């Protein structure tokens, strides 16, 4: 945003050593590491600073060789290592949520919906957008699945939201062909990640259509602790005890890619802070065959067998010794075990891909965040149990193994069997451990500071890795300069995995991605793909500092990882890739998350969680997008330089440690002067801000108190402004959708208000800390506009004639205010319709100025508001008014649509706007668009798919071509053979947009089998069909009839399951459907009734019903008004 890249700095080897002092000290450890579970952080008797919390253990693994010295970083007295890696919901920019191709969870009907947000029955929750969505649709990365996150898109055609997920490898052939004579040999699509695969635009547009799903499904359990053999289990809590801590893991893993099994030995050096006979750690779906406790007594090494007790309910095992461990003495636990490669996309799992020649090849990869390291090795699987790791991987000579650290040596252990030894890691959390066994190829470059950056991919796609490699080098150099902290490892690998549930994962030194989130096909990838890939890479590399170097102590503060990484996407890419105009994407995410945060079922940014399902639910829009938006607001408040100083101090102070929410605010507060004579961009002074008539700070800045109002309570404020002459009266209250008589919560925020007026475009500032306040202007004004540039996380209502004045401004001279300000007016107006503060007529009147709009943000925001309206009408069979409204939308934007060229020319934002407008027009059956698309599709089909279509309009062409049976069949066949993730994503969306119920049902059945179409694609397909006006009853029926199978394939609380629940239901707008939803989910009991996504979708449907009952007749009358004749 305002920070430029500082000049290059050299790395000093001594800096690395400073990061890991005493690397050779500490108890010796054997060699395997056990997955650590997610529990409370143990105390380190030898930690600097005392017990758990921020202290780091100063007894690094001995291991025989010192852990690699981290590069850079000024001396840190504590060992290296700490970092959280989390699975990022695939987030990728996308089309307005509603258009096919839009990202997030639960896309809308087959048609594209509004740009960014979920089709909301005016209150729909949405999930973290994934990359690839149309503006307004994609997340900026889920959950996850989430992410991450999707907005509804505008189209009415049956184009379901396309998603920006990465198309995976092609799957195996299916036995039966689709209706209509489709070929049987379809290659399964690549992995789906909610907005990651689709072109940025398309995905977002689809998002709108699909509705993002922000909530998480969670479940909790409590049972008396009995081990599987019936004896008492010595620990009854989900979190691990703190009196045993790991120091070093020595891991040996040997996977058999034929039998899909693996065996391992994990040696963990531990230390006890109090006598205990039971060592409690995590293990899930592993068969422990032997456990031994080793201890050196003088020159003698003793070994004692340990009794193994298992408690699957908490995914824990207890290793019981014959006598208590002695405090302060080093012990080593040795565990031999076996397991099966996971059939899901977490833990240590199998992935496959098909070569150009049709051969199916198998690889094994890991994805441990948040609680799946325990599925690969027994461990203390909680983020605060940081340790060093030595990894050894056994493999066949035809394979290659990679892990977090560089390869040190390979030794032959048997004929045809090699063992790769990797260097010792820095001190880090278990969820950041990673290893891959495959036949991937790679390309590499060095950064200016000597870090080797490599991109790994399947051989047939390695030519698509160049863009990501260049971006990674540039971004890694930027972060080293920005943070003034050198990247501490000697290498950074980026691997494109054929099967990947989320968007990406920040494993330290080995980040992993969906193929669509990393690979860029120069011939077929779109502008939104380029933006999405750049954002995801920047997100994962930001985690190398936020999350890995400094890790949250527990998952309740996940936002310290995810919110920061999401925010740093904006900061970094705006500097390293200014041509991508990331600011046109970033701010729309704040509107998206507000849709979710306005629900009663939302949650504070920092929220207590305990069990794995609850933790999985934390990977949502609130942790990602809201976290990023409030950080951006704080930076605007403090000033870019002061903000940067604060976060650098935070990173330096807590390197290789774990932190809590308050640690960040303490670092931020310390940058403010205390004497009152110096100002930090006006925010830390003790007197009024000299450049403004308003009062920022009369008593100095209290960052912690201010930011606690944004992180410890859910929701956001509605600021009501009333102008009386020169006096501006302000009142804040929690914003909630629903009628005015909604109960008051009494919540207050410290709101950093900004405003401009008709008399001055200089930004004025006012810190509103009380429920009401008044500011005095130098002179009377015609209009006043608050929340300048959309930097604040709040909405504004202008009482009396305030909205009339702003509407007149937009109609007469809309460029007087910025495009972000115009977009925020559109958003705020419709939010105020939902809670009864503004009439629907006034909000619709304001949108009429869009006839003259050309900028992407206001256009997409308009689509995000208008498309959900006719999506709700579709669910009530209100055909006449629905068709009138769709016709109005096309007339409103007709001039802008007609001005679009069917090329890939122009800036990234121009191309994204073109892609979504043409998709909308074609789905809405705007004749000039349909005729052009039909001609393109005919030529492309006649060339057997070899004709090069303009990448940014390909989805619109496919959405038209798929409507004929022969077009659907041809696209399905091309899907099987395509090596382009973008092309496969576009085809997948187009198939879901069909108006043929039989083909849609076949597509649901086939993709759920996971044979021809990969299972990872199913959540997106179900959501997209669920947004199709013809397909939504099929999707809802499929969800109900297959629920038991769904929760076996997708975990409760996962972003995938959440997106399917939201995507199939939250556009319902009738009481009959509401009762169906309530009855079905209440019948599930512990298998789903308690899920947060269920609460959110019920709340959303209720709001949809209320909104339609109140506003439908008004919309019908408004559409018949004379003013529309001007369009």
């Amino acid at each position: 945003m305002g920070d430029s890249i500082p000049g290059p700095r050299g790395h000093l080897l001594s800096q690395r050593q400073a990061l890991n002092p005493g690397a050779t000290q500490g108890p010796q450890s054997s060699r395997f590491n056990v997955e650590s579970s997610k529990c409370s952080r143990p105390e380190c008797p030898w930690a600097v600073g005392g017990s758990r919390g921020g202290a780091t253990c100063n007894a690094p693994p001995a291991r025989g060789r010192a852990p690699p010295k981290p590069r850079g970083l000024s001396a840190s007295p504590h060992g290296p290592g700490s970092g959280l890696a989390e699975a990022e919901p695939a987030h990728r920019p996308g089309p307005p949520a509603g258009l096919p191709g839009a990202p997030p969870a639960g896309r809308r009907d087959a048609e594209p919906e509004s740009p960014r947000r979920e089709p909301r029955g005016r209150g729909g929750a949405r999930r973290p957008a994934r990359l690839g969505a149309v503006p307004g649709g994609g997340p900026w990365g889920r959950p996850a699945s989430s992410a991450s996150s999707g907005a509804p898109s505008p189209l009415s055609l049956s184009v379901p939201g396309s998603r920006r997920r990465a198309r995976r490898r092609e799957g195996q052939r299916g036995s039966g062909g689709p209706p209509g004579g489709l070929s049987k040999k379809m290659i399964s699509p690549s992995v789906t990640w909610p907005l990651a695969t689709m072109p940025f635009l398309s995905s977002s547009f689809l998002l709108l259509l699909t509705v993002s799903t922000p909530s998480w499904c969670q479940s909790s359990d409590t049972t008396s602790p009995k081990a599987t053999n019936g004896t008492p289990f010595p620990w009854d809590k989900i979190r691990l005890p703190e009196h045993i801590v790991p120091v070093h893991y020595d891991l040996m893993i040997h996977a058999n890619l034929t039998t899909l099994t693996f065996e391992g030995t994990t040696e963990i050096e531990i230390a006890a802070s109090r006598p205990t006979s039971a060592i409690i750690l995590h293990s899930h779906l592993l068969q422990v065959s032997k456990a031994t406790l080793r201890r050196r007594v003088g020159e003698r090494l003793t070994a004692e067998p340990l009794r193994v007790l298992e408690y699957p309910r908490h995914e824990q095992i207890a290793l019981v010794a014959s006598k208590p461990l002695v405090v302060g003495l080093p012990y080593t636990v040795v565990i031999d075990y076996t397991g099966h490669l996971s059939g899901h996309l977490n833990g240590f799992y199998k992935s496959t891909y098909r070569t150009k020649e049709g051969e199916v090849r198998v690889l094994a990869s890991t994805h441990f965040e948040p609680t799946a390291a325990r599925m690969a090795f027994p461990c203390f699987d909680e983020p605060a149990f940081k340790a060093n790791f030595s990894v050894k991987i056994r493999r066949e000579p035809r394979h290659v193994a990679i892990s977090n650290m560089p390869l040190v040596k390979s030794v032959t252990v048997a004929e045809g069997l090699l063992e790769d030894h990797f260097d010792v890691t820095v001190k880090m959390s278990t969820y950041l451990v990673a290893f891959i066994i495959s036949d991937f190829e790679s390309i590499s470059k060095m950064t200016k500071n000597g870090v080797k950056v490599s991109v790994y991919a399947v051989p047939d796609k390695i030519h698509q890795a160049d863009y990501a490699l260049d971006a990674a080098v540039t971004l890694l150099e930027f972060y080293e300069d920005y943070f003034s902290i050198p990247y501490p490892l000697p290498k950074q690998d980026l691997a494109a995995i054929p099967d990947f549930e989320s968007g990406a994962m920040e494993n330290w030194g080995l980040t992993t991605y969906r193929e669509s989130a990393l690979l860029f096909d120069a011939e077929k990838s779109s502008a939104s793909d380029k933006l999405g890939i750049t954002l995801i890479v920047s997100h994962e590399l930001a985690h190398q500092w936020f999350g890995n170097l400094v890790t949250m102590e527990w998952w309740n503060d996940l936002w310290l990882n995810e919110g920061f990484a999401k925010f740093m996407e904006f900061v970094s890419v705006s500097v390293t890739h200014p041509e991508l105009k990331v600011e046109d994407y970033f701010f729309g995410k704040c509107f998206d998350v507000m849709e979710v945060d306005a629900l009663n079922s939302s949650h504070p940014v920092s929220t207590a969680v305990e069990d794995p399902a609850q933790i999985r639910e934390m990977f949502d829009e609130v942790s990602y997008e809201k976290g990023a938006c409030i950080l951006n607001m704080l930076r605007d408040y403090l000033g870019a330089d002061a903000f940067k100083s604060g976060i650098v101090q935070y990173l330096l102070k807590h390197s290789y440690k774990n932190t809590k929410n308050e640690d960040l605010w303490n670092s931020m507060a310390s940058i403010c002067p205390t004497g009152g004579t110096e100002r930090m961009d006006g925010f830390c002074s003790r007197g009024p801000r000299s450049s403004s008539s308003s009062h920022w700070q009369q008593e100095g800045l209290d960052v912690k108190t201010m930011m606690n109002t944004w992180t410890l309570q859910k929701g956001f404020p509605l600021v009501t402004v009333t102008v009386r002459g020169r006096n501006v009266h302000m009142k804040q209250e929690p914003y909630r959708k629903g009628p005015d008589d909604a109960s008051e919560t009494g919540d207050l925020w410290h709101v950093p208000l900004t405003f401009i007026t008709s008399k001055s475009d200089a930004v004025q500032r006012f810190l509103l800390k009380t429920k009401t306040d008044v500011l005095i202007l130098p002179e009377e004004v015609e209009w006043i506009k608050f929340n300048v540039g959309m930097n604040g996380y709040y909405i504004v209502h202008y009482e009396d004639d305030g909205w009339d004045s702003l509407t007149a401004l937009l109609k007469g001279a809309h460029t007087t205010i910025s495009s972000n300000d115009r977009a925020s007016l559109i958003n705020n107006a419709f939010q105020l319709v939902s809670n009864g503060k503004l009439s629907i007529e006034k909000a619709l009147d304001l949108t009429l100025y869009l006839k003259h709009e050309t900028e992407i943000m206001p256009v997409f925001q308009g689509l995000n508001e208008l498309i959900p309206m006719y999506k709700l009408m579709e669910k009530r069979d209100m055909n006449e008014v629905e068709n009138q409204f769709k016709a109005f939308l096309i007339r409103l934007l007709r001039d802008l649509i007609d001005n679009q060229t069917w090329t890939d020319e122009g800036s990234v934002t121009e191309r994204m706007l073109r892609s979504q407008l043409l998709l909308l027009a074609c789905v809405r059956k705007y004749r000039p668009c349909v005729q052009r698309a039909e001609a393109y599709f005919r030529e492309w089909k006649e060339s057997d798919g070899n004709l090069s279509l303009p990448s940014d309009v390909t989805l619109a062409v496919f959405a038209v071509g798929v409507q004929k049976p022969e077009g659907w069949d041809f696209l399905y066949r091309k899907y099987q053979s395509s090596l382009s993730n973008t092309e496969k994503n576009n085809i997948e969306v187009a198939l879901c947009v069909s108006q043929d119920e039989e083909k849609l049902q076949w597509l649901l059945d086939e993709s759920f089998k996971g044979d021809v179409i990969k299972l990872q694609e199913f959540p997106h397909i179900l959501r997209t069909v669920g947004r199709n006006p013809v397909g939504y009853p099929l999707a809802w029926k499929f969800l109900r009839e297959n629920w038991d199978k769904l929760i076996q394939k997708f975990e409760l609380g996962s972003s995938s399951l959440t997106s399917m629940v939201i995507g199939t239901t939250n556009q319902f707008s009738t009481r009959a459907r509401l009762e169906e939803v309530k009855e079905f989910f209440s019948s599930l009991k512990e298998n789903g009734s308690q899920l947060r996504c269920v609460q959110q979708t019920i709340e959303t449907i209720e709001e949809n019903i209320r909104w339609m009952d109140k506003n439908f007749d008004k919309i019908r009358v408004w559409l018949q008004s004379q003013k529309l004749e001007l369009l």
Side-chain angles (χ1 to χ4, degrees), residues 1098-1124:
I1098 289 174
E1099 188 178 346
T1100 297
I1101 298 170
E1102 290 173 341
E1103 168 61 14
N1104 293 346
I1105 294 169
R1106 188 196 64 78
W1107 196 95
M1108 286 293 287
D1109 288 348
K1110 180 179 180 180
N1111 295 304
F1112 175 74
D1113 286 336
K1114 297 177 182 178
I1115 295 172
R1116 178 176 52 78
V1117 172
W1118 185 86
L1119 286 170
Q1120 298 169 355
S1121 65
Q1122 294 298 314
K1123 66 186 73 171
L1124 297 189

Side-chain angles (χ1 to χ4, degrees), residues 98-113:
L99 290 185
R107 308 221 140 119
R108 284 155 166 270
D109 287 76
E111 341 186 357
E113 309 184 355

